[in-house]
Amino acid sequence: MTATAVHETLAAQPLTDHHCHGVVTEGLDRPGFESLLTEGAPWPGISPFDTPVGVAVRRHCAPLLDLPRHAPAEEYLARRAELGPREVNRRFLTAAATDVFCVDTGYTPHPLTAPHELAEAVGGSAFEVVRLENVAESTVRAGVEPDAYGAAFRAAAEEAVRQPGVVAVKSVAAYRTGFDLDPARPTDAEVTEAARRWLATGGRLADPVLVRHLLWTAVDLGLPLQLHTGFGDNDIRMHRVDPAHLTDWLHLSAGTIPVLLLHCWPYQRQAAYLAAVFEQVYLDVGLTLHHVGPARARAVLEEALEITPFRKLLYSSDAYGLAEFYLLGALSFRQGLGALLQDRVEADELSLPDALRIVRWTGSANARRLYGLPSETVPRRD
Amino acid sequence: MTATAVHETLAAQPLTDHHCHGVVTEGLDRPGFESLLTEGAPWPGISPFDTPVGVAVRRHCAPLLDLPRHAPAEEYLARRAELGPREVNRRFLTAAATDVFCVDTGYTPHPLTAPHELAEAVGGSAFEVVRLENVAESTVRAGVEPDAYGAAFRAAAEEAVRQPGVVAVKSVAAYRTGFDLDPARPTDAEVTEAARRWLATGGRLADPVLVRHLLWTAVDLGLPLQLHTGFGDNDIRMHRVDPAHLTDWLHLSAGTIPVLLLHCWPYQRQAAYLAAVFEQVYLDVGLTLHHVGPARARAVLEEALEITPFRKLLYSSDAYGLAEFYLLGALSFRQGLGALLQDRVEADELSLPDALRIVRWTGSANARRLYGLPSETVPRRD
Amino acid sequence: MTATAVHETLAAQPLTDHHCHGVVTEGLDRPGFESLLTEGAPWPGISPFDTPVGVAVRRHCAPLLDLPRHAPAEEYLARRAELGPREVNRRFLTAAATDVFCVDTGYTPHPLTAPHELAEAVGGSAFEVVRLENVAESTVRAGVEPDAYGAAFRAAAEEAVRQPGVVAVKSVAAYRTGFDLDPARPTDAEVTEAARRWLATGGRLADPVLVRHLLWTAVDLGLPLQLHTGFGDNDIRMHRVDPAHLTDWLHLSAGTIPVLLLHCWPYQRQAAYLAAVFEQVYLDVGLTLHHVGPARARAVLEEALEITPFRKLLYSSDAYGLAEFYLLGALSFRQGLGALLQDRVEADELSLPDALRIVRWTGSANARRLYGLPSETVPRRD
């Protein structure tokens, strides 16, 4: 029994996906699919299918569309179109065996499922994560004087998190300034002056003072704060999103809100360090898991878990757009963590009961505890 | 014979622990034990036992207390209390099979064994490492004028290293400023001015000019300098302790003293680079080894050894407080290095005699050569 | 057949070495050989043979000199001297099974083979890579006024790349300033002012404005630009050569020239990120491969390939001086990539046809496509 106990438990463990987005509700042609498949872009002569994630889609997703493993991209897309988005989404979401979704609703260049639609497809539950940059930008679009910006943003954020189902806030400070920020809460005068600059120039929120203000507003809101960390598209300056840059801010904000470092690659060790030495810090390797694919998910998880307390790692897919990513994230997590834990059990470095606790904690309980979600439902797979 | 020759040689090789601290001499209740088990702190709902090092303690240390592998934390602590600190310390230190200890005596928030007590428990030898920040802070506590600080600190350091058994000095510059320092030796006027600021404000030594002055005083002392690098508690700003920041200082101080980069994780590759290109640089992965545990010690050693010359890696436990860490450090080193070398021998990538030389060098001879310790005693285990 | 198909295909695949140097044409005594064996230097008591690359030479190169595997260094060097440089070079170059060489001719502290000599030894083809810092420094040595420097350097570079066989340019900005540069193209006035400073002080090109100017001149030349990245000798400041620092420059220069990140270790993941999100970015792990040796080449390739599109990884040896490095680079690449791909095929994570395409692409086709080299010749090994 020991030989496969960890994998079986992981297979039967419904996952809590503490950070994801919706799936596209429309059909996708090849350019549309390929542009969602990569954090880059489809380039002449270089198909996004010729990447680790593209290989993983053809290997692990094709069979769910009734195709052989490793089906060619053209066949894959043709069959996907034939089945239609509703059926495709249902198949992948069901196979992912995720039953709780915390959905970041703030990034919508495409028409996406609403959180409840996502959850209904598999009879699960959905919660919402409010992206604070969107709230700030809406505040400005609605019209505000510089000296009223701070209070107006805060009031709008308070209103946003009062909505039913909201369990966390998120910041993409990583994309706007990186983390190499003055850690101190800015004064009202500084915020007014920075808002004046922003209102004069327009565009998205990217002023360092206002990004700091946003992080401190998150502290005031009292909900867990999710922070994009590391890997993303080419709008990231990777050296500025090493989460170690947050250390001074973590000292100043200690004792207030939980902080969830998302994705983290290639800084999973730095994130693990922060999770090991700051009570409020948690991490995941979402997004990374499906981009590196099952072939490397274990290696990334091994690094992420070198020193991370086992109650500090969470699961997320960070799936966006393609239903395939819900499946690949969940599959990479289950296979990668399963192989890691199973080998340690077989080497007698870890007891089986401890391994199974780590499965339950990281797969769901850590997220449920942190976000105050309803207690775990009975596993629906057997 | 080949199949296990490396592991057997490592098992029989007494280790020279070139950087460690004392063990606590008093009994420890659960909060006391847990606070020593982590570089973080015991947090509500998150026991330090639920970490890689906690799992390693229950797996590898419990049997030495006559408990089954993976014994629960409560049972472990009860049995530990029953045996008493003297017996517990004796068991773990004996099992570690370390016979030479270079002890950093400068960090003593708890009552710890003196170096000779540590060594006597196993019939080994003890040497001392002088922590220079302590010397500087004692100099100031004793009363000194700003313009006399430089000379007084140097005189006190010279006095400290003249004591019998002192073989090295250490700096925790990593905790005070990080390594992103002006590499040049400060002028006397700069030191006086910086001392004036420090004397006015008090507190610990953290002025960048005085930290530089401390590093250059180490150069004058002529003994090997140990530098905390990378992993530690939350007083570290990880991005400022990448040892690559030392490059200019290493150029300026080339030809003077050996520099030992301690711990290094997650910068073991950067440390390896410096060891490969600077004659005076050496490294270890102490502290890291017991925190990641035997399950990942090999992976960290693999990275540390990718380009490190084999005469440049040393063993240390960096054990502090818990006698368990002496055992876990030694065990992680022996298992991790043993598996790495054995596999290379079996793949015929490395000859067995070469593998055994690497065992002797890294396990003891490199440290003995560097610190001028007495030549190796006959292995006491057979 | 599957069990070894990837390895067999790699063995039969002639490699395109898109970045290498010449080999020394003279005999080498022990100090001469050892100084070429390391990025450091031979130090008293620490032979460069006692390193991963030294072990790899004795293991993999000795048999080609008719010696047993793991022959002692002394015997190795004696036999090498006995055979003479011409025969030694012929044996290693033939065994490397590289048939196309893109040779950086700009670093010549030793007398080296010219590109055509290198290629003729194995009946292959040679192309040339022009090192732009050399062109700039020659421009200054030839005598130029500050306000004419920009145009004169550009004219000289245009002339250099018009020579037959030139397929790329290279910059060692990493060694001069690192990549933490203002990304904008400097104005003519800025260039003149910087040239004035340089002409006044002499020395090598290391002014940040002129290094930026050099990178932008490369953009104007229109050929692929090779950039030394990461690992090198102790003239590198490792923290300043993280290629992520190039992000803003990559945005500004997007749509112009391909950029090839060379070596990359320990930043192979950061390089992979850039290759995944910028159309123009490619990478290799040359130099790294022979220094870490076959024992770790796979691990480095695994990290480099976590998210790199399969058309973005190239092979290079970055061999310099020692013919052994041509063999070790090629061997490390073939063994490391072969093991990685073969395991994925066996785990059914990758189809065999896909694995074989990745072999052809990374081993040769990506470089041929990028540099516009003649299409692949029929493999000469069977």
Side-chain angles (χ1 to χ4, degrees), chain C residues 228-251:
Chain C
H228 179 107
T229 306
F231 186 45
D233 66 34
N234 74 15
D235 202 17
I236 286 289
R237 271 63 179 166
M238 193 59 91
H239 54 294
R240 296 206 202 113
V241 297
D242 176 348
H245 287 292
L246 292 165
T247 307
D248 286 306
W249 182 76
L250 291 169
H251 275 291

Side-chain angles (χ1 to χ4, degrees), chain C residues 128-307:
Chain C
E128 188 173 348
V129 178
V130 170
R131 193 188 280 227
L132 291 177
E133 282 80 5
N134 288 28
V135 176
E137 288 159 3
S138 296
T139 301
V140 165
R141 272 198 303 276
V144 68
E145 291 301 307
D147 61 356
Y149 166 77
F153 166 48
R154 180 167 166 163
E158 286 172 344
E159 173 65 17
V161 302
R162 261 198 302 270
Q163 302 309 307
V166 171
V167 293
V169 294
K170 177 185 177 183
S171 168
V172 291
Y175 275 108
R176 304 304 175 86
T177 54
F179 295 143
D180 196 5
L181 292 167
D182 179 346
R185 187 191 283 264
T187 64
D188 289 351
E190 288 172 317
V191 172
T192 297
E193 178 54 29
R196 193 182 316 279
R197 288 194 300 269
W198 183 24
L199 291 167
T201 58
R204 63 183 195 173
L205 172 65
D207 181 280
V209 171
L210 298 183
V211 170
R212 282 159 61 203
H213 175 255
L214 182 149
L215 296 178
W216 282 103
T217 300
V219 168
D220 296 337
L221 293 169
L223 289 183
L225 170 64
Q226 301 184 345
L227 287 176
H228 179 107
T229 306
F231 186 45
D233 66 34
N234 74 15
D235 202 17
I236 286 289
R237 271 63 179 166
M238 193 59 91
H239 54 294
R240 296 206 202 113
V241 297
D242 176 348
H245 287 292
L246 292 165
T247 307
D248 286 306
W249 182 76
L250 291 169
H251 275 291
L252 291 179
S253 64
T256 64
I257 54 168
V259 174
L260 295 109
L261 304 175
L262 308 174
H263 328 319
C264 295
W265 184 96
Y267 297 115
Q268 55 270 19
R269 283 170 161 159
Q270 283 82 350
Y273 160 71
L274 295 173
V277 298
F278 283 98
E279 179 175 5
Q280 76 265 40
V281 176
Y282 296 76
L283 71 137
D284 73 35
V285 286
L287 183 67
T288 307
L289 287 177
H290 60 265
H291 277 285
V292 306
R296 285 293 289 175
R298 175 184 175 159
V300 173
L301 281 161
E302 293 269 16
E303 292 182 19
L305 281 170
E306 271 170 358
I307 62 166

Side-chain angles (χ1 to χ4, degrees), chain C residues 1-215:
Chain C
M1 167 208 153
T2 302
T4 57
V6 174
H7 287 291
E8 282 168 10
T9 304
L10 266 159
Q13 169 71 52
L15 298 177
T16 297
D17 188 344
H18 90 107
H19 177 79
C20 60
H21 305 263
V23 294
V24 290
T25 51
E26 57 198 2
L28 290 165
D29 58 8
R30 181 155 186 163
F33 186 90
E34 288 193 333
S35 73
L36 286 166
L37 189 55
T38 172
E39 290 289 314
W43 300 310
I46 302 182
S47 166
F49 274 102
D50 292 324
T51 59
V53 66
V55 163
V57 164
R58 289 172 43 228
R59 160 64 183 85
H60 292 284
C61 300
L64 283 162
L65 305 187
D66 317 313
L67 296 172
R69 296 172 169 188
H70 315 294
E74 283 303 334
E75 289 176 28
Y76 184 87
L77 293 169
R79 175 62 178 160
R80 198 182 196 280
E82 188 177 65
L83 288 170
R86 176 175 296 268
E87 174 63 10
V88 165
N89 293 350
R90 190 194 60 77
R91 290 188 183 194
F92 289 125
L93 285 166
T94 303
T98 299
D99 70 347
V100 181
F101 303 84
C102 300
V103 184
D104 169 6
T105 51
Y107 183 63
T108 52
H110 302 80
L112 299 177
T113 51
H116 72 273
E117 295 173 294
L118 190 66
E120 280 162 11
V122 292
S125 324
F127 299 90
E128 188 173 348
V129 178
V130 170
R131 193 188 280 227
L132 291 177
E133 282 80 5
N134 288 28
V135 176
E137 288 159 3
S138 296
T139 301
V140 165
R141 272 198 303 276
V144 68
E145 291 301 307
D147 61 356
Y149 166 77
F153 166 48
R154 180 167 166 163
E158 286 172 344
E159 173 65 17
V161 302
R162 261 198 302 270
Q163 302 309 307
V166 171
V167 293
V169 294
K170 177 185 177 183
S171 168
V172 291
Y175 275 108
R176 304 304 175 86
T177 54
F179 295 143
D180 196 5
L181 292 167
D182 179 346
R185 187 191 283 264
T187 64
D188 289 351
E190 288 172 317
V191 172
T192 297
E193 178 54 29
R196 193 182 316 279
R197 288 194 300 269
W198 183 24
L199 291 167
T201 58
R204 63 183 195 173
L205 172 65
D207 181 280
V209 171
L210 298 183
V211 170
R212 282 159 61 203
H213 175 255
L214 182 149
L215 296 178

Side-chain angles (χ1 to χ4, degrees), chain A residues 139-370:
Chain A
T139 301
V140 165
R141 272 198 304 276
V144 68
E145 292 302 308
D147 61 355
Y149 166 77
F153 166 47
R154 179 166 168 164
E158 286 172 344
E159 172 66 16
V161 302
R162 262 199 301 272
Q163 301 309 307
V166 172
V167 293
V169 294
K170 178 185 177 183
S171 168
V172 290
Y175 275 108
R176 304 304 175 85
T177 54
F179 295 143
D180 196 7
L181 292 166
D182 179 346
R185 187 191 284 264
T187 64
D188 289 350
E190 288 172 317
V191 172
T192 296
E193 178 54 29
R196 193 182 316 279
R197 288 194 300 269
W198 184 23
L199 291 167
T201 57
R204 64 184 195 172
L205 172 65
D207 181 280
V209 171
L210 298 183
V211 170
R212 281 159 61 203
H213 176 255
L214 183 149
L215 296 178
W216 282 103
T217 301
V219 169
D220 297 337
L221 292 170
L223 289 183
L225 170 64
Q226 301 184 344
L227 287 176
H228 179 107
T229 306
F231 186 44
D233 66 34
N234 74 14
D235 201 16
I236 286 289
R237 272 63 179 166
M238 194 59 91
H239 55 294
R240 294 206 203 114
V241 296
D242 176 346
H245 287 293
L246 292 165
T247 307
D248 287 306
W249 182 74
L250 291 169
H251 275 291
L252 291 179
S253 64
T256 64
I257 54 168
V259 174
L260 296 110
L261 304 175
L262 308 174
H263 329 319
C264 294
W265 184 97
Y267 297 115
Q268 55 271 17
R269 282 170 161 160
Q270 282 82 348
Y273 160 71
L274 295 173
V277 298
F278 282 98
E279 180 176 4
Q280 76 265 38
V281 176
Y282 296 76
L283 71 136
D284 73 36
V285 286
L287 183 66
T288 308
L289 287 177
H290 60 263
H291 278 284
V292 306
R296 283 294 289 174
R298 175 184 175 159
V300 173
L301 282 162
E302 292 269 15
E303 292 182 17
L305 281 170
E306 271 171 357
I307 63 165
T308 298
F310 299 123
R311 303 232 58 160
K312 294 293 201 89
L313 183 81
L314 278 70
Y315 168 71
S316 87
S317 66
D318 196 33
Y320 176 88
L322 299 184
E324 281 86 346
F325 289 167
Y326 287 91
L327 173 64
L328 284 180
L331 181 83
S332 293
F333 181 78
R334 285 195 175 94
Q335 287 194 1
L337 185 65
L340 181 166
L341 294 175
Q342 187 71 50
D343 282 1
R344 293 189 190 178
V345 169
E346 284 170 19
D348 199 19
E349 284 292 329
L350 186 70
S351 73
L352 181 57
D354 285 334
L356 301 185
R357 282 197 306 158
I358 293 170
V359 165
R360 288 191 301 271
W361 286 348
T362 60
S364 180
N366 289 346
R368 288 174 182 272
R369 173 175 173 272
L370 191 57

Side-chain angles (χ1 to χ4, degrees), chain B residues 180 242 244-245 247-248 251 269-270 272-273 275-279 282 299 302-303 305-312 344 347-351 354 357-358 361 369, chain C residues 38-40 43-46 50-52 55 58-60 69-70 231-240 265-268 291-292 294-296 299-300 303 335:
Chain B
D180 196 5
D242 176 347
H245 288 291
T247 307
D248 287 305
H251 275 290
R269 282 171 162 159
Q270 283 82 349
Y273 161 70
V277 299
F278 283 98
E279 180 176 5
Y282 296 75
E302 293 269 16
E303 292 182 19
L305 282 170
E306 271 170 358
I307 62 165
T308 298
F310 298 125
R311 303 232 57 160
K312 295 294 201 88
R344 292 189 190 177
D348 199 20
E349 284 292 328
L350 186 71
S351 73
D354 285 333
R357 282 197 307 158
I358 293 170
W361 286 347
R369 174 176 173 271
Chain C
T38 172
E39 290 289 314
W43 300 310
I46 302 182
D50 292 324
T51 59
V55 163
R58 289 172 43 228
R59 160 64 183 85
H60 292 284
R69 296 172 169 188
H70 315 294
F231 186 45
D233 66 34
N234 74 15
D235 202 17
I236 286 289
R237 271 63 179 166
M238 193 59 91
H239 54 294
R240 296 206 202 113
W265 184 96
Y267 297 115
Q268 55 270 19
H291 277 285
V292 306
R296 285 293 289 175
V300 173
E303 292 182 19
Q335 287 194 2

